[in-house]
Amino acid sequence: MPSLLLLAGDGIGPEITDATKRVIEHFNTAGAGFELVEGLVGGAAYDAVGTPFPEETLQKAEATDAILFAAVGGPQYDHLAYDERPEAGLLGLRKHFDLFANIRPAIVYPALADASSLKREVVEGLDIIILRELTGGVYFGEPKTIEDIGNGQKRAVDTQVYDTFEIERIARAAFDLARARRGKVTSMEKRNVMKTGVLWREVVEATHRQGYEDVALDHMLADAGAMQLVRDPKQFDVVVTDNLFGDMLSDVAAQLTGSLGMLPSASLGAVDERTGRRRAMYEPVHGSAPDIAGRGIANPIAMIASFGMALQYSFAMLDEARALDAAIAAALEDGVRTADIAAGGPSVDTKGMTDAILAHLQRAA
Ligand code: IPM
Ligand code: MG
């Protein structure tokens, strides 16, 4: 039986998780047989058991096929030490399962082309992927310290570090993705100032020569790439970049679509040679939105679409994944909007949006 670990976390996390459970139950009624396990992570876990990343959650994650993660964080946790903060739960899961390939699609649904802060013609029909390296770079590099250096001065150090194999495997993932799409990869780094950028480009090019020459490859400095992303985003297909640049560029890409509340993501590990399977975690790109938490008005689409990515990448249920995407698009076509994408017009709550998606799923089934 396929199994999923649901981690609701903080803020709007529990609300969008409940919405997504209803969608999963729809597929179960149709015979999918998903076994759902729930666990604690982030601030919710810290409040309950004193750590954002409990051992029990790790064991549950080991025992299930994939993780569906909602969101973590909130202002009430700002005073905590770095490794007690809610984000430590998220980073811990990424690192523990070596989920190095973070696929962040930025898709503009036709019905929402006017929700973007960019002109309709710039974003209409947009369908790109930011492929972010997720387990290396400055997020995890050592040393990572703040030390006292006397005279009332402190020194903070983060370390940006990449080994060849880390760049090579994310480059391969980029070429494989592009091959199934429009066949174009743009690699972004800062080789003009960073040694990791120099190695990044070298390894991406070497990997390209090893059997990927059918895919078009170009390179941009990450700052120029950010500018191109807002100037003419449709020039891209797959953008591959490191952990920190990917964090920023994926938020930029998200805004092209009009709402952070729309975008799902998949974080994948390597394919296990014995079982042919890969570890995976699916999560919305947006955060815990503490400002609207508890009011039942959050947009559940990013999390529901994250489940859709799980159908695609972890369970090879491609028809179901397509049906779910179509139901989301159809609900939007009908004019159903949560407040974040309503541009001041009439809006429904989390339940209303979920009802609309479920109605289209049921009609199609
Ligand atoms: C993201 C988030 C995380 C990150 C935070 C919550 C640690 O911004 O997934 O993009 O920086 O990776
Ligand atoms: Mg981010």
Side-chain angles (χ1 to χ4, degrees):
M1 213 152 87
S3 57
L4 275 170
L5 174 62
L6 296 180
L7 298 177
D10 309 322
I12 60 170
E15 300 158 45
I16 58 174
T17 301
D18 284 344
T20 307
K21 269 202 248 174
R22 295 179 58 205
V23 173
I24 300 172
E25 276 152 21
H26 161 86
F27 286 101
N28 275 353
T29 308
F34 281 107
E35 182 198 338
L36 299 182
V37 179
E38 298 192 37
L40 289 168
V41 75
Y46 180 82
D47 291 340
V49 296
T51 162
F53 189 27
E55 180 57 35
E56 198 188 331
T57 298
L58 195 55
Q59 280 169 13
K60 287 178 178 172
E62 294 277 6
T64 41
D65 295 324
I67 304 168
L68 194 53
F69 184 104
V72 293
Q76 68 273 44
Y77 306 109
D78 278 351
H79 66 283
L80 293 175
Y82 189 81
D83 53 3
E84 292 181 331
R85 296 171 60 95
E87 291 80 3
L90 176 59
L91 298 177
L93 282 165
R94 290 174 180 172
K95 193 69 183 172
H96 179 84
F97 291 111
D98 206 12
L99 305 172
F100 67 92
N102 182 214
I103 304 172
R104 297 188 163 188
I107 291 167
V108 172
Y109 289 89
L112 285 186
D114 288 319
S116 174
S117 49
L118 271 68
K119 293 193 195 86
R120 175 179 261 276
E121 59 269 26
V122 175
V123 295
E124 196 166 25
L126 183 75
D127 174 7
I128 63 174
I129 286 178
I130 307 292
L131 180 65
R132 168 186 178 193
E133 198 291 327
L134 199 61
T135 50
V138 77
Y139 273 65
F140 297 101
E142 297 284 350
K144 193 175 193 60
T145 52
I146 300 181
E147 60 174 334
D148 234 306
I149 54 170
N151 290 332
Q153 295 290 303
K154 290 183 182 179
R155 175 172 296 153
V157 177
D158 290 293
T159 304
Q160 165 85 346
V161 49
Y162 273 106
D163 291 355
T164 304
F165 81 95
E166 296 176 285
I167 305 171
E168 196 182 306
R169 64 183 182 177
I170 195 72
R172 285 183 185 284
F175 295 132
D176 287 336
L177 274 176
R179 226 175 224 166
R181 296 167 49 87
R182 299 188 298 279
K184 181 175 174 192
V185 169
T186 308
S187 170
M188 296 189 188
E189 31 58 23
K190 281 283 289 177
R191 71 184 175 284
N192 52 349
V193 285
M194 298 169 78
K195 293 292 183 191
T196 49
V198 173
L199 185 66
W200 184 276
R201 175 163 175 159
E202 207 174 286
V203 175
V204 169
E205 288 193 325
T207 309
H208 186 233
R209 284 193 297 271
Q210 290 158 22
Y212 287 107
E213 272 158 323
D214 55 306
V215 178
L217 169 66
D218 36 273
H219 305 271
M220 279 184 193
L221 295 175
D223 53 345
M227 185 268 284
Q228 289 297 337
L229 259 179
V230 289
R231 195 187 73 85
D232 177 20
K234 285 190 266 185
Q235 70 183 286
F236 299 109
D237 179 16
V238 175
V239 172
V240 62
T241 190
D242 78 11
N243 204 342
L244 183 61
F245 295 143
D247 181 43
M248 297 190 289
L249 294 172
S250 62
D251 267 23
V252 173
Q255 179 54 29
L256 301 174
T257 72
S259 168
L260 215 49
M262 302 294 299
L263 295 183
S265 78
S267 304
L268 307 178
V271 178
D272 183 316
E273 281 176 17
R274 220 165 28 82
T275 61
R277 320 243 330 242
R278 60 202 306 181
R279 296 296 324 184
M281 177 159 77
Y282 301 88
E283 61 175 300
V285 171
H286 64 68
S288 58
D291 52 324
I292 58 162
R295 291 166 54 196
I297 59 168
N299 184 348
I301 289 180
M303 180 141 185
I304 292 174
S306 295
F307 169 64
M309 289 189 87
L311 290 172
Q312 181 182 351
Y313 289 99
S314 281
F315 302 109
M317 295 168 73
L318 300 187
D319 291 341
E320 289 83 350
R322 264 192 294 271
L324 183 50
D325 273 347
I328 294 170
L332 294 169
E333 280 310 323
D334 290 346
V336 182
R337 301 281 186 274
T338 42
D340 57 314
I341 51 175
S347 61
V348 300
D349 57 8
T350 309
K351 180 174 178 304
M353 179 58 88
T354 313
D355 289 344
I357 293 169
L358 281 171
H360 276 287
L361 274 175
Q362 269 141 13
R363 209 164 304 156

